[in-house]
Amino acid sequence: MLSEKPQLLYNYFKQLFAQVTNPPIDAIREEVFTDTTSGIGPELNLIDQQPESCHQISAESPVLSNIELAKLKNIPNFEAATIPMLYKVADGGAGLKQALDAIFAAADKNITEGKCILILSDRGISKEMAAVLALLAGAGLHQDLIKNGTRLRASIIIESAEPREVHHMALLLGYGVSGINPYLAFESLEHMCADGMLDISFAKAAENYISACTHGIAKILSKMGISTVQSYRGAQIFEAIGISSAVIEEYFTGTPSRLEGIGLDEIAREVAMRHEPAFAEQNIDLFSYESGSHYQWRNGGEQHMLNPETIVKLQQACKTGDYKLFKEFSKQLRGSAFANQNLRSMLTFTPQRASAGNQSLSAAQPHSG
């Protein structure tokens, strides 16, 4: 939330942690206790269970290949509907809000017509049309169907170029999505295999990618003592950091959010900042693209407190035992260059004197600086 670079919406969420088993679940060595299958289709009335309640499609993984998604669109007795999640990027936050409302209305209409698999797709992105964020659309539709009392009549599937990391998959599942088709990741793998960057077939590369994502999801949900994807789906065990309460209330209802932040206008602006360079008219050299540096420092990318300049001072101070050099390192971290790098640097402490009738001292209360 404090970055100067546009961020994906996933980066504004962190999973909560609770060690509810002792010892905790080991998703790798105790794989026999984990179940990563995802049920797709209507669940009907959970209170009045009937034989039809378990009439569902069982996917071995919530990460769906292109072939598996194509099969979902053509399974007898499971009617699927594809709902586009696109909007005019020039319309900003108002256009994004209008597109979300249109998605929810289309979903209600399809459920009324008997469709039980709702596929939200951002295929068709162009210079004018940007993709509605998959997490915003999926979570928002999940909440909308709950409010309308129709959530158990259909499953939500995401067909998007946006999700690619395990954290992305976990968030989509946590906010009610049953299956994810990250088609851009598969297209990237296909190009890598064709160019010789991977010395395996595309089919094997896709299989490895799905396996890695699935094991990553199992590891994430095990941190909460959950052993099945079915139990993790829709659990919403995340907190938001830096999203406005209006967006949380409307699209991520019930999610803890202790800090205010961006609304739909700012979210749309971040989408535009990523979208417009991709369709720039001038010829862009491959070496001119931003390096990103989300995970580690790179020149011209995200600012990191641990960068070549600061880390060298720390290493030299530790090797030589030079306390003066260490103080230079710590002073640099407290300097103006890193003033807004983390929340701690934006907090101050206000001491409170004890009242006359109370001899104990009150704890200092942090407040926004």
Side-chain angles (χ1 to χ4, degrees):
M1 62 172 291
L2 301 178
S3 173
E4 297 294 333
K5 307 287 184 180
Q7 299 288 322
L8 292 174
L9 193 61
Y10 305 101
N11 296 340
Y12 290 88
F13 290 85
K14 305 294 180 185
Q15 180 173 286
L16 302 173
F17 175 81
Q19 184 174 314
V20 295
T21 59
N22 187 18
I25 297 174
D26 189 331
I28 298 175
R29 296 170 183 83
E30 298 176 325
E31 189 176 11
V32 66
F33 296 109
T34 60
D35 181 17
T36 57
T37 58
S38 180
I40 299 173
E43 297 181 66
L44 305 179
N45 190 339
L46 296 180
I47 299 176
D48 182 20
Q49 295 185 359
Q50 302 294 331
E52 293 79 12
S53 300
C54 60
H55 188 204
Q56 288 192 313
I57 302 164
S58 181
E60 293 184 0
S61 168
V63 183
L64 306 174
S65 67
N66 295 337
I67 295 176
E68 289 172 328
L69 181 64
K71 289 180 179 178
L72 278 180
K73 296 178 180 179
N74 298 279
I75 296 181
N77 301 322
F78 288 89
E79 293 191 54
T82 300
I83 302 173
M85 49 179 186
L86 301 169
Y87 75 101
K88 290 184 179 180
V89 66
D91 291 345
L96 179 58
K97 176 69 166 64
Q98 187 177 3
L100 287 165
D101 292 340
I103 290 171
F104 303 159
D108 292 335
K109 181 176 180 294
N110 282 293
I111 290 176
T112 302
E113 295 173 353
K115 306 293 195 302
C116 62
I117 300 176
L118 304 176
I119 302 172
L120 306 185
S121 176
D122 64 12
R123 286 189 182 271
I125 297 173
S126 64
K127 183 177 181 179
E128 293 78 22
M129 304 298 291
V132 176
L133 300 177
L135 179 59
L136 190 61
L141 179 56
H142 174 68
Q143 297 295 341
D144 183 73
L145 295 181
I146 290 175
K147 293 172 185 176
N148 295 339
T150 57
R151 182 62 187 93
L152 298 180
R153 293 171 59 182
S155 289
I156 302 171
I157 306 295
I158 294 292
E159 181 186 18
S160 174
E162 185 185 274
R164 49 188 176 269
E165 301 176 8
V166 176
H167 177 62
H168 303 171
M169 314 294 181
L171 268 165
L172 289 169
L173 289 170
Y175 281 99
V177 171
S178 296
I180 307 128
N181 172 239
Y183 65 83
L184 183 59
F186 293 128
E187 290 180 11
S188 300
L189 289 173
E190 189 173 9
H191 281 287
M192 293 171 73
C193 293
D195 294 342
M197 296 176 65
L198 295 176
D199 192 23
I200 54 177
S201 66
F202 166 64
K204 183 61 177 176
E207 180 185 339
N208 291 345
Y209 174 76
I210 292 175
S211 177
C213 289
T214 305
H215 281 83
I217 291 169
K219 188 173 182 179
I220 287 176
L221 59 89
S222 70
K223 300 296 183 183
M224 291 296 290
I226 299 174
S227 60
T228 67
V229 166
Q230 294 283 76
S231 298
Y232 188 79
R233 190 178 67 220
Q236 297 191 185
I237 46 178
F238 299 90
E239 66 174 339
I241 304 176
I243 299 179
S244 71
S245 55
V247 172
I248 293 294
E249 179 63 28
E250 182 70 22
Y251 305 105
F252 302 95
T253 310
T255 299
S257 180
R258 298 171 179 85
L259 290 172
E260 286 291 320
I262 60 174
L264 287 184
D265 290 338
E266 291 78 16
I267 292 174
R269 194 180 309 155
E270 289 199 323
V271 171
M273 291 173 70
R274 294 190 300 270
H275 181 86
E276 290 170 0
F279 293 92
E281 294 181 359
Q282 67 270 24
N283 294 324
I284 300 178
D285 181 54
L286 288 176
F287 295 101
S288 67
Y289 281 112
E290 288 191 10
S291 59
S293 75
H294 181 70
Y295 297 105
Q296 68 179 48
W297 181 91
R298 289 183 182 176
N299 189 26
E302 288 277 8
Q303 187 179 20
H304 288 255
M305 298 184 74
L306 292 181
N307 56 55
E309 186 177 353
T310 57
I311 199 67
V312 165
K313 288 184 179 179
L314 176 62
Q315 290 175 339
Q316 290 179 346
C318 293
K319 288 179 181 179
T320 61
D322 189 339
Y323 182 68
K324 182 179 179 181
L325 190 58
F326 175 80
K327 293 299 290 183
E328 291 180 10
F329 159 76
S330 58
K331 181 179 179 181
Q332 187 173 4
L333 292 187
R334 295 194 301 270
S336 59
F338 302 113
N340 296 323
Q341 278 293 96
N342 54 49
L343 293 175
R344 287 183 301 174
S345 66
M346 303 175 73
L347 296 175
T348 58
F349 289 88
T350 302
Q352 294 182 341
R353 295 180 178 272
S355 61
N358 185 3
Q359 299 300 320
S360 62
L361 294 177
S362 300
Q365 298 296 323
H367 68 86
S368 177

